[in-house]
């Protein structure tokens, strides 16, 4: 008897899958629940301000075509990476 060429992948128990993709905890700030990503957003804004000053002093913005677009792109990349670190 021949073996089938394709077999469905074994499925993980639903409990493990649910816990893997759970939302991070929320923080209580003045009796209001604040999502974790909001805290990361504020930290990324502070990091962007520091990085913006550093790049400005180094003269990087003289070599960039559109500095505001570069700043927004850099912020989006930082926020995405920090958000992915929280989910793992």
């Amino acid at each position: 008897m021949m073996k089938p060429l394709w077999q469905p992948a074994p499925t993980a128990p639903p409990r493990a899958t649910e816990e893997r993709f759970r939302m991070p905890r929320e923080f209580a700030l003045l009796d209001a629940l604040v999502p974790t990503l909001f805290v990361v957003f504020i930290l990324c804004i502070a990091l962007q301000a520091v990085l913006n000053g550093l790049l400005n002093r180094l003269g990087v913005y003289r070599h960039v075509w559109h500095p505001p677009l570069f700043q927004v792109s850099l912020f989006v990349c930082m926020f995405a990476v920090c958000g992915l670190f929280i989910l793992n």
Side-chain angles (χ1 to χ4, degrees):
M1 184 186 267
M2 293 183 67
K3 291 183 180 179
L5 295 176
W6 177 82
Q7 292 181 352
T11 58
R15 183 110 175 120
T17 305
E18 289 173 8
E19 289 184 15
R20 183 171 178 224
F21 295 109
R22 280 180 88 176
M23 272 294 275
R25 289 193 71 167
E26 295 175 333
F27 295 101
L29 181 66
L30 300 174
D31 292 334
L33 291 177
V34 178
T36 309
L37 283 179
F38 181 71
V39 176
V40 171
F41 182 78
I42 298 299
L43 291 175
C44 283
I45 288 176
L47 182 63
Q48 175 69 22
V50 171
L51 193 60
N52 187 24
L54 180 67
L55 292 176
N56 197 14
R57 285 182 189 218
L58 292 175
V60 173
Y61 291 133
R62 285 183 279 149
H63 304 289
V64 175
W65 171 68
H66 199 278
L69 182 63
F70 179 75
Q71 291 170 355
V72 169
S73 303
L74 191 61
F75 175 77
V76 168
C77 291
M78 283 190 318
F79 182 61
V81 167
C82 291
L84 287 175
F85 277 135
I86 283 183
L87 289 177
N88 287 335

